[in-house]
């Protein structure tokens, strides 16, 4: 009998599916952060593998900065509809208006920092206790320290004292 071995990518996929299922098992109200970009599409593909033929046990959530091309937003909506999953969208522009926030000005202005306010408000509104997001550690160096879980404080900030290393790489 041959030894059955998974390739490196198959191992990562199996680990990701396991983490998705465990998140559902361990938390009462998780969500998947979904922008329609390549990282979140891969994440949703893994969730399809983890939970089909059933529906996802949590919604997709998009925090819209208002800086996306309309085609990207149309794709996001069509994709969620095609897979039959609930999509919650909240807009940073609404948060800017409601909280009277100040946007950056200039050539490289971004709403990324303001996006945190909208995300935290959405988490509170829907009482999410876990947000599943996709990010590549090779592109986002800040994520390299967070292996699997990124435990945040009540202000949404990463705090190394809150991290539980025993949860990392245990799968």
């Amino acid at each position: 009998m041959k030894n059955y071995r998974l390739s490196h990518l198959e191992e990562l996929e199996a680990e990701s599916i396991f983490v998705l299922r465990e998140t559902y098992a361990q938390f009462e109200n998780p969500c998947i952060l979904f922008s329609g970009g390549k990282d979140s599409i891969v994440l949703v593909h893994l969730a399809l593998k983890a939970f089909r033929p059933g529906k996802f046990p949590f919604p997709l959530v998009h925090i819209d900065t208002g800086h996306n091309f309309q085609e990207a937003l149309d794709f996001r909506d069509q994709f969620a509809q095609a897979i039959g999953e609930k999509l919650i969208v909240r807009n940073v522009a609404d948060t800017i208006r409601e909280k009277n926030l100040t946007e950056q000005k200039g050539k490289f202005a971004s709403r990324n920092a303001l996006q945190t306010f909208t995300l935290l408000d959405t988490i509170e509104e829907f009482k999410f206790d876990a947000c599943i997001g996709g990010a590549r550690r090779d592109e986002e160096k800040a994520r390299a320290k967070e292996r699997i879980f990124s435990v945040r404080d009540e202000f949404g900030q990463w705090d190394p004292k809150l991290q539980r290393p025993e949860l990392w790489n245990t799968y």
Side-chain angles (χ1 to χ4, degrees):
M1 185 168 164
K2 291 185 179 183
N3 284 340
Y4 181 76
R5 292 191 182 267
L6 297 176
S7 71
H8 178 67
L9 287 177
E10 290 168 329
E11 284 183 26
L12 291 173
E13 179 184 65
E15 179 182 17
S16 299
I17 290 169
F18 179 82
V19 168
L20 286 169
R21 290 175 177 163
E22 282 297 303
T23 300
Y24 168 61
Q26 296 292 324
F27 292 90
E28 292 183 25
N29 193 25
C31 68
I32 288 183
L33 301 176
F34 179 71
S35 66
K38 57 187 177 255
D39 295 337
S40 64
I41 290 171
V42 168
L43 188 57
V44 169
H45 176 75
L46 292 166
L48 288 166
K49 286 187 164 201
F51 297 107
R52 286 299 193 244
K55 295 191 66 68
F56 291 177
F58 34 69
L60 305 175
V61 174
H62 182 215
I63 305 302
D64 186 356
T65 62
H67 290 167
N68 295 310
F69 291 110
Q70 187 58 49
E71 294 85 355
L73 299 176
D74 293 344
F75 173 79
R76 173 204 67 194
D77 297 342
Q78 291 166 3
F79 185 79
Q81 184 177 17
I83 64 171
E85 296 299 341
K86 180 179 180 181
L87 174 64
I88 296 168
V89 178
R90 292 295 180 266
N91 296 292
V92 174
D94 295 339
T95 306
I96 291 169
R97 191 173 44 261
E98 291 165 9
K99 294 184 181 289
N100 199 26
L101 300 174
T102 302
E103 286 191 72
Q104 292 180 353
K105 304 285 187 232
K107 185 177 180 180
F108 300 106
S110 171
R111 286 184 171 174
N112 289 349
L114 300 178
Q115 192 173 5
T116 302
F117 291 96
T118 309
L119 176 60
L120 292 174
D121 288 348
T122 304
I123 290 169
E124 186 176 326
E125 176 185 355
F126 291 94
K127 307 294 185 230
F128 294 127
D129 57 354
C131 297
I132 306 163
R136 288 163 286 151
R137 287 188 296 247
D138 62 330
E139 285 190 2
E140 178 57 56
K141 301 302 182 209
R143 302 280 184 215
K145 68 185 179 302
E146 297 175 346
R147 307 304 297 162
I148 292 175
F149 295 99
S150 178
V151 180
R152 304 298 176 117
D153 65 16
E154 65 271 17
F155 304 107
Q157 297 176 340
W158 184 76
D159 183 345
K161 294 181 293 244
L162 297 174
Q163 304 306 304
R164 295 181 51 202
E166 68 272 14
L167 298 175
W168 301 350
N169 297 325
T170 59
Y171 310 109

